[in-house]
Amino acid sequence: MLIRFHVSNFLSFDEEVELSMIPGKTRKHPGHVTKSEGRHDIDILRSAIIYGANASGKSNIVKAMAFAQELIVEGTHVKESIPRTRFKLKEETVNTPSKFEFEFKAGERCYIYGFELNRQRIYEEWLYEIRKTTETMLFERATGSSGETSIEFGKIDFKNEKEKDLFDLVAMGTRPNQLFLTESLERNIMHFDDVYKWFREKLIIIFPASKFIPLATIGTDQDLANMLINYLEQLGTGICGFELSEVDPEKEFPEDVINILLKSLQERDKNDDDSKMVFFGDPQDERYLAEIVDEELKAKKLTLRHQMSDSEQEILLGMAEESDGTRRLLDLLPGLANPNNEDKVYVVDELDRSLHPVLSHRLVKLFLENEVPESQLIATTHASHLLDQDLLRRDEVWFVEKDKKGASHVYSLEEYAPRNDKDIEKGYMAGRYGAIPILGNMSFATQEEE
């Protein structure tokens, strides 16, 4: 679970901002809080819904998390520039590193992991294990001006001196543009595996154009398919089933796509990856599953069953034949309904994109009513109807607003402490909490010349 996220000097963020999942003083909706089980644990909120005007920077929170996640999971190549985008509306930020820091719970442990960087190097990197009142340093890394990396290790249970020497060797060999966390996993040092896996497997980021590939698994997981069909029928999509229909790869895909698929599948087999299949989407938004069977590329297309209106027959439609709203719903449901009871952090940019207001409200309600206490939803939206204290707590509502210098700031509705019976949607639309567009006098009429 995410506890806090900090970012500075990145995109529209100049000074450091914080998104916190620590509960405030409100006691409403106690089920929206994952309670600490031991005296060293931390109470954590299950959702954060983020509002802001267009170009306020709310999507940049998601982009900042995604940038950090990709750098951690994918790493960098030799002499490759780090693709950070600094805050460009102030000259001095050219020489100031960008900072990213995550405080999170992975399994039974809580960590702080962060780093500072520019396009050439990682300046600093740190990992701490934390409890309610204490912090234990695991490592701190610094990179000198000439590119040498030095890492100080803290409370790590080394098996012997030889293992300690290996850590020092990997630390010395970490490139200036590579994170030590990433390098250690690549060098088969597994001490920080739970930290790395949190970013790779637990943090799920969904942009408006993302194709949430786990949707394709409904063709191979019948229990998941049945549960999703139940939800889809309740939401009036007309979908009554799923099917994986076999297709001829040579007729369905261009040659370059086939080559990419073969390479990806061969690499998975070479690396002994548990998943021997590739799920992917094409530009038309069709979804496919590909695998190698008896040294031959096989592919299946995800199709959706609909009842014919004038007979007992059913028809199969591809994803591209569904509406934008239905496709968006299908991308979000596997996470928000959480039928497999997984403890994941779903970060969704523009939750309401292509969705009717009733549907977006129902999805958030569905997620918060789910009995998976360690799953989280963090979402940006313009859907003011979600500003309902019967749906959300005050500390689950966040706002992003730009100042006169073009820098984004992040703050919580909890700072305003509205009464529990207050209509916060009305207050937001009236500008009481900020984070709405400020419009001048506008007219599409052509002004007459004097």
Side-chain angles (χ1 to χ4, degrees):
M1 300 186 77
L2 181 69
I3 301 171
R4 293 186 182 93
F5 173 65
H6 296 89
V7 61
S8 64
N9 193 18
F10 185 75
L11 296 174
S12 62
F13 300 110
D14 179 14
E15 301 297 330
E16 185 171 316
V17 299
E18 175 188 86
L19 176 69
S20 174
M21 305 299 287
I22 299 293
K25 295 180 180 179
T26 181
R27 295 293 177 263
K28 198 165 188 181
H29 301 303
H32 295 192
V33 179
T34 299
K35 291 290 185 180
S36 56
E37 295 182 357
R39 63 190 181 92
H40 295 300
D41 288 341
I42 302 168
D43 292 349
I44 307 173
L45 287 167
R46 292 194 57 222
S47 75
I49 307 299
I50 305 168
Y51 288 86
N54 293 105
S56 63
K58 61 184 182 299
S59 290
N60 287 342
I61 295 177
V62 183
K63 290 176 183 177
M65 290 186 186
F67 168 83
Q69 180 191 45
E70 183 171 0
L71 188 65
I72 295 163
V73 174
E74 301 298 334
T76 58
H77 298 296
V78 177
K79 296 183 179 180
E80 179 184 23
S81 294
I82 302 170
R84 74 114 184 206
T85 304
R86 66 175 178 86
F87 178 71
K88 294 183 177 180
L89 300 183
K90 197 160 72 174
E91 288 184 6
E92 66 186 58
T93 60
V94 173
N95 301 314
T96 305
S98 299
K99 176 183 176 182
F100 304 83
E101 183 178 80
F102 295 82
E103 191 173 330
F104 58 96
K105 183 178 181 183
E108 300 300 317
R109 296 182 174 184
C110 294
Y111 297 97
I112 294 175
Y113 174 68
F115 46 86
E116 294 186 2
L117 53 77
N118 64 10
R119 291 183 66 85
Q120 285 73 46
R121 61 168 56 92
I122 312 295
Y123 280 89
E124 296 182 15
E125 183 182 1
W126 56 91
L127 176 64
Y128 287 79
E129 184 176 350
I130 58 172
R131 296 186 176 185
K132 187 172 286 187
T133 57
T134 61
E135 295 182 1
T136 302
M137 189 263 281
L138 299 179
F139 72 77
E140 288 182 348
R141 173 254 189 100
T143 303
S145 57
S146 60
E148 73 281 3
T149 297
S150 63
I151 296 182
E152 178 185 353
F153 296 105
K155 192 176 180 181
I156 297 176
D157 295 326
F158 295 110
K159 294 177 184 176
N160 47 47
E161 196 63 32
K162 192 173 182 180
E163 186 176 62
K164 172 66 168 62
D165 291 341
L166 174 62
F167 270 68
D168 290 335
L169 184 65
V170 172
M172 263 196 328
T174 300
R175 289 179 275 108
N177 66 341
Q178 176 85 309
L179 293 167
F180 174 71
L181 175 65
T182 310
E183 185 73 12
S184 68
L185 267 293
E186 289 186 358
R187 300 286 193 94
N188 208 31
I189 291 177
M190 308 308 291
H191 284 65
F192 315 120
D193 186 50
D194 56 341
V195 175
Y196 179 82
K197 278 186 174 180
W198 188 85
F199 288 99
R200 188 186 68 188
E201 299 175 4
K202 302 298 183 182
L203 182 62
I204 309 298
I205 297 176
I206 305 173
F207 287 102
S210 296
K211 296 175 175 61
F212 191 31
I213 299 305
L215 173 62
T217 62
I218 60 180
T220 57
D221 186 337
Q222 193 56 50
D223 290 337
L224 173 60
N226 291 339
M227 189 171 289
L228 290 178
I229 289 166
N230 180 48
Y231 284 126
L232 291 167
E233 287 177 344
Q234 292 179 47
L235 296 172
T237 62
I239 296 170
C240 58
F242 305 94
E243 194 169 307
L244 283 172
S245 305
E246 198 159 329
V247 295
D248 183 345
E250 292 188 359
K251 293 181 180 178
E252 196 82 7
F253 314 128
E255 185 177 350
D256 59 334
V257 171
I258 291 176
N259 291 334
I260 291 170
L261 288 172
L262 287 170
K263 183 179 179 181
S264 177
L265 288 164
Q266 287 162 358
E267 284 180 357
R268 284 170 183 256
D269 188 55
K270 180 181 176 182
N271 296 329
D272 200 25
D273 196 309
D274 290 338
S275 175
K276 304 297 183 185
M277 297 179 289
V278 171
F279 300 105
F280 66 101
D282 71 4
Q284 286 72 46
D285 210 19
E286 298 289 7
R287 312 293 172 89
Y288 298 90
L289 178 153
E291 59 185 331
I292 294 177
V293 179
D294 296 329
E295 300 184 355
E296 184 180 353
L297 180 65
K298 298 287 186 180
K300 294 179 180 178
K301 177 179 175 180
L302 178 67
T303 54
L304 305 102
R305 287 205 300 271
H306 288 258
Q307 181 70 50
M308 299 284 284
S309 62
D310 57 352
S311 73
E312 298 286 324
Q313 300 297 314
E314 293 178 345
I315 187 172
L316 293 174
L317 301 179
M319 284 285 286
E321 297 177 274
E322 300 289 346
S323 70
D324 289 343
T326 297
R327 291 203 298 270
R328 181 65 167 164
L329 188 61
L330 284 164
D331 278 331
L332 294 175
L333 260 179
L336 302 190
N338 204 354
N340 290 330
N341 298 330
E342 297 176 300
D343 58 330
K344 294 185 184 280
V345 181
Y346 293 96
V347 182
V348 182
D349 190 27
E350 296 189 31
L351 174 70
D352 54 313
R353 171 71 71 93
S354 301
L355 292 181
H356 189 278
V358 172
L359 280 182
S360 53
H361 189 283
R362 183 71 186 94
L363 283 175
V364 174
K365 192 175 190 319
L366 175 68
F367 179 84
L368 291 170
E369 288 177 347
N370 196 296
E371 296 179 1
V372 185
E374 295 201 348
S375 61
Q376 283 177 303
L377 170 64
I378 298 168
T380 70
T381 185
H382 289 295
S384 62
H385 62 283
L386 298 179
L387 288 167
D388 177 357
Q389 294 198 75
D390 288 333
L391 177 67
L392 298 170
R393 295 161 51 105
R394 295 193 306 252
D395 48 14
E396 293 176 296
V397 177
W398 287 80
F399 302 110
V400 180
E401 187 171 57
K402 276 186 178 176
D403 62 22
K404 292 180 180 179
K405 296 180 180 179
S408 297
H409 299 270
V410 181
Y411 55 98
S412 171
L413 178 64
E414 180 76 354
E415 296 179 22
Y416 294 85
R419 297 192 317 267
N420 288 335
D421 61 347
K422 197 78 173 176
D423 186 339
I424 56 174
E425 179 183 8
K426 184 176 180 181
Y428 172 64
M429 296 304 290
R432 189 169 298 144
Y433 312 121
I436 62 171
I438 300 174
L439 307 176
N441 294 323
M442 297 176 63
S443 173
F444 291 108
T446 304
Q447 296 183 357
E448 295 183 6
E449 296 184 5
E450 295 183 358

